Amino acid sequence: MAGARAAAATASAGSSASSGNPPPQEPGLGELLEEFSRTQYRAKDGSGTGGSKVERIEKRCLELFGRDYCFSVIPNTNGDICGHYPRHIVFLEYESSEKEKDTFESTVQVSKFKMARCRGRFVCPVILFKGKHICRSATLAGWGELYGRSGYNYFFSGGADDAWADVEDVTEEDCALRSGDTHLFDKVRGYDIKLLRYLSVKYICDLMVENKKVKFGMNVTSSEKADKAQRYADFTLLSIPYPGYEFFKEYKDRDYMAEGLIFNWKQDYVDVPLSIPDFLTHSLNIDWSQYQCWDLVQQTQNYLKLLLSLVNSDDDSGLLVHCISGWDRTPLFISLLRLSLWADGLIHTSLKPAEILYLTVAYDWFLFGHMLIDRLSKGEEIFFFCFNFLKHITSEEFSALKTQRRKSLPARDGGFTLEDICMLRRKDRGSTTSLGSYFSLVMESSPGATGSFTYEAVELVPAGAPTQAAWLAALSDRETRLQEVRSAFLAAYSSRVGLRAVAPSSSGAIGGLLEQFACGVGLRGISSNAL
């Protein structure tokens, strides 16, 4: 009931905020980045360091979610559920209008959300698309974490102490628990599976490059694919190994140039090959056997295409994305998914570029515990890479709209495809009336409706006209919107956090870092309000 009461209060607050009355002293992106680069957020710290600023950031996130969704809040005030998750965990229920928010009643079952994963985390829904939950988490907790002395106490004390992840103090007595109490281990995994089913998750995408994380000679974490009891056999498991945050030191040292940067797959600890069920790869036209030859740009692009194809499929199955701890590689792909779907106009439809940027930086990165201050000190700039990478996903091939609209037209002399229509605007076909002024395109109707179809009229303009068919406009908007997000990020990041450029080349050629700003912010103005 506490969760329901919190949800009602938050929904009410979201409704009033979205009606034009923003919270007082609303923080800008610059203030957020400044706080982020100085403080590591921990829910258990409450209103400690930077308390008032953090509270404003939290309230701003709730207000932005409330613009387009009715949602519940899972209370995590003092890190009672997880010390590394937001104090107000948002559970999106459905897209909504202002009128619907007045009658909203929470349906979330808070008791389902129990820790079962690395660092006391659990599967957490963060994006709602076509009625499906896109979730994030850490990987599964292994014997070392679960049965270490501090870990064992953690699971029975409510999870307030995040020191449990350290396993230096594991003793012989602790290890005896491993062989003597396997029922607890089964019970914790059982909680995890029940939560996955509650969220209708079918696809689990694992970004780890190892089957199990080994520390001090002990398996500290595990993964679904390495579960010997095959508890996760009913789920579709995808192993898509992706370099850890340490690799992004090389990205920074190459003057922030990801092109040509290839991960070394021959390192001793890398023991997971890419593994994707064949039935999920047919429509993507990607040679997955070459994944070890891809540079960082190609690898990130292809993985994002895969994730988009999963969430945009015709079924109603949800998706889980996770790495080891869930606060580096995981937010990278969650953030790219959120921004890509937003750029298509499919989620967070009322948010402007500066607002969606604020939401994903604050919620997906800051409030879920990304250690920016630590990563910056070591030059491991995966956070910067995420938003600078937006320039590589502006094209139609990353659009979820493309999949929805790539349907054949009703049979007519063999039928026309959408590609045929495209050709009509580039070649002289004579009078447009000979083909008809309009064609009906079969496409899925609303994202939430499954199995129903509608017809959308697409106007064919005369040959040579500078305009395009109406359905192409969204793709053009996608590029513009992502460019605006990237430009706003680069401007704010450079002014509040700063970049560490490598020494200029002796040839005097423009460096990669300078080129980022020449392309990103040098050629377009940035409103000071966005900073």
Side-chain angles (χ1 to χ4, degrees):
M1 295 301 294
R5 289 195 297 269
T10 304
S12 176
S15 298
S16 61
S18 60
S19 64
N21 299 312
Q25 296 181 312
E26 180 177 290
L29 179 62
E31 180 181 323
L32 167 61
L33 288 174
E34 196 169 281
E35 181 70 17
F36 195 6
S37 64
R38 295 177 179 178
T39 306
Q40 184 179 1
Y41 177 88
R42 285 291 179 268
K44 71 184 187 66
D45 294 334
S47 300
T49 305
S52 60
K53 291 182 180 179
V54 171
E55 288 177 0
R56 291 203 302 273
I57 292 170
E58 292 170 330
K59 290 179 180 178
R60 176 62 167 154
C61 287
L62 296 179
E63 189 270 327
L64 292 174
F65 276 119
R67 295 272 191 91
D68 299 288
Y69 298 93
C70 281
F71 63 88
S72 302
V73 168
I74 301 173
N76 186 37
T77 307
N78 296 309
D80 299 325
I81 303 178
C82 178
H84 303 272
Y85 275 4
R87 290 189 294 178
H88 311 290
I89 300 173
V90 173
F91 184 90
L92 300 176
E93 306 245 15
Y94 53 85
E95 293 183 82
S96 65
S97 63
E98 287 298 321
K99 184 177 181 180
E100 289 175 311
K101 292 175 185 176
D102 295 334
T103 59
F104 170 69
E105 293 185 8
S106 174
T107 63
V108 65
Q109 299 179 37
V110 178
S111 61
K112 297 282 188 181
F113 294 84
K114 296 182 179 180
M115 61 199 79
R117 292 183 169 250
C118 175
R119 299 190 183 278
R121 295 192 164 203
F122 52 82
V123 176
C124 186
V126 288
I127 300 173
L128 186 65
F129 174 56
K130 295 172 66 173
K132 310 174 188 181
H133 288 296
I134 301 175
C135 307
R136 63 180 293 171
S137 73
T139 191
L140 298 176
W143 290 107
E145 281 187 316
L146 185 57
Y147 287 100
R149 179 182 299 160
S150 54
Y152 189 85
N153 291 336
Y154 177 87
F155 275 90
F156 288 98
S157 65
D161 183 9
D162 66 351
W164 69 285
D166 297 326
V167 297
E168 289 87 342
D169 60 348
V170 174
T171 66
E172 293 183 4
E173 179 184 356
D174 296 321
C175 293
L177 292 170
R178 171 175 173 174
S179 59
D181 192 3
T182 57
H183 295 294
L184 175 62
F185 196 80
D186 292 336
K187 186 176 182 179
V188 171
R189 293 282 170 90
Y191 288 152
D192 187 62
I193 291 172
K194 287 180 180 179
L195 178 55
L196 287 168
R197 289 173 175 162
Y198 172 66
L199 297 171
S200 298
V201 169
K202 177 181 179 181
Y203 304 107
I204 300 178
C205 293
D206 184 353
L207 296 164
M208 295 172 61
V209 299
E210 57 267 272
N211 279 305
K212 298 181 179 181
K213 186 69 174 178
V214 179
K215 193 173 183 181
F216 306 104
M218 180 174 290
N219 294 327
V220 182
T221 66
S222 184
S223 62
E224 298 87 0
K225 59 183 177 289
D227 185 74
K228 294 181 179 179
Q230 296 293 304
R231 298 176 183 88
Y232 294 85
D234 292 337
F235 300 91
T236 301
L237 307 181
L238 298 87
S239 294
I240 49 175
Y242 190 84
Y245 62 85
E246 302 92 342
F247 182 65
F248 289 83
K249 174 68 161 57
E250 297 186 37
Y251 166 68
K252 179 257 182 184
D253 289 344
R254 295 178 83 252
D255 210 6
Y256 301 90
M257 294 293 289
E259 295 85 348
L261 179 57
I262 301 176
F263 180 68
N264 179 9
W265 296 96
K266 298 186 182 301
Q267 299 175 80
D268 292 340
Y269 69 93
V270 178
D271 61 0
V272 174
L274 182 141
S275 177
I276 306 171
D278 290 340
F279 73 92
L280 294 176
T281 63
H282 295 318
S283 63
L284 294 177
N285 195 28
I286 295 172
D287 185 357
W288 295 100
S289 67
Q290 297 298 309
Y291 77 97
Q292 294 188 356
C293 300
W294 296 337
D295 65 15
L296 189 58
V297 172
Q298 293 171 301
Q299 187 177 21
T300 310
Q301 286 178 325
N302 289 337
Y303 284 10
L304 181 61
K305 289 178 184 178
L306 174 65
L307 296 177
L308 287 168
S309 70
L310 293 177
V311 300
N312 204 31
S313 59
D314 292 333
D315 61 23
D316 58 356
S317 301
L319 167 69
L320 168 63
V321 179
H322 75 78
C323 51
I324 296 178
S325 295
W327 54 31
D328 291 295
R329 289 169 286 185
T330 297
L332 165 63
F333 282 99
I334 289 296
S335 196
L336 291 177
L337 278 170
R338 192 185 300 277
L339 290 169
S340 183
L341 293 171
W342 166 83
D344 287 335
L346 298 174
I347 63 172
H348 301 291
T349 55
S350 70
L351 298 191
K352 299 176 182 178
E355 293 171 332
I356 190 67
L357 174 59
Y358 187 98
L359 179 62
T360 190
V361 169
Y363 196 75
D364 296 331
W365 290 88
F366 177 62
L367 295 179
F368 271 88
H370 176 67
M371 299 188 293
L372 181 61
I373 187 171
D374 176 78
R375 304 298 184 249
L376 289 175
S377 69
K378 299 175 182 176
E380 299 159 344
E381 300 203 33
I382 187 173
F383 173 68
F384 176 82
F385 169 80
C386 175
F387 296 94
N388 193 38
F389 185 77
L390 295 178
K391 63 182 178 179
H392 295 295
I393 61 170
T394 59
S395 66
E396 175 192 356
E397 61 184 317
F398 297 96
S399 173
L401 292 173
K402 180 189 71 171
T403 303
Q404 292 182 10
R405 289 169 174 175
R406 185 170 287 174
K407 308 287 185 181
S408 293
L409 292 171
R412 182 183 304 175
D413 295 331
F416 291 93
T417 65
L418 201 55
E419 286 73 12
D420 295 330
I421 298 296
C422 294
M423 296 301 296
L424 291 175
R425 71 178 182 85
R426 291 195 290 266
K427 296 182 179 181
D428 185 4
R429 299 280 182 172
S431 172
T432 58
T433 57
S434 63
L435 293 174
S437 300
Y438 294 86
F439 278 80
S440 293
L441 177 66
V442 179
M443 63 180 293
E444 295 174 9
S445 56
S446 63
T450 57
S452 60
F453 297 89
T454 186
Y455 289 84
E456 178 184 5
V458 179
E459 182 177 3
L460 295 181
V461 297
T467 56
Q468 298 178 341
W471 56 268
L472 281 165
L475 300 178
S476 176
D477 290 344
R478 173 188 174 84
E479 182 174 3
T480 300
R481 299 175 85 180
L482 289 177
Q483 285 178 343
E484 290 181 3
V485 170
R486 177 173 175 263
S487 297
F489 175 82
L490 290 177
Y493 191 90
S494 62
S495 65
R496 297 302 183 102
V497 180
L499 291 164
R500 286 78 172 170
V502 298
S505 65
S506 58
S507 65
I510 186 171
L513 176 59
L514 180 57
E515 186 177 4
Q516 310 297 334
F517 287 91
C519 297
V521 297
L523 300 181
R524 62 166 61 233
I526 299 296
S527 171
S528 60
N529 293 331
L531 308 182

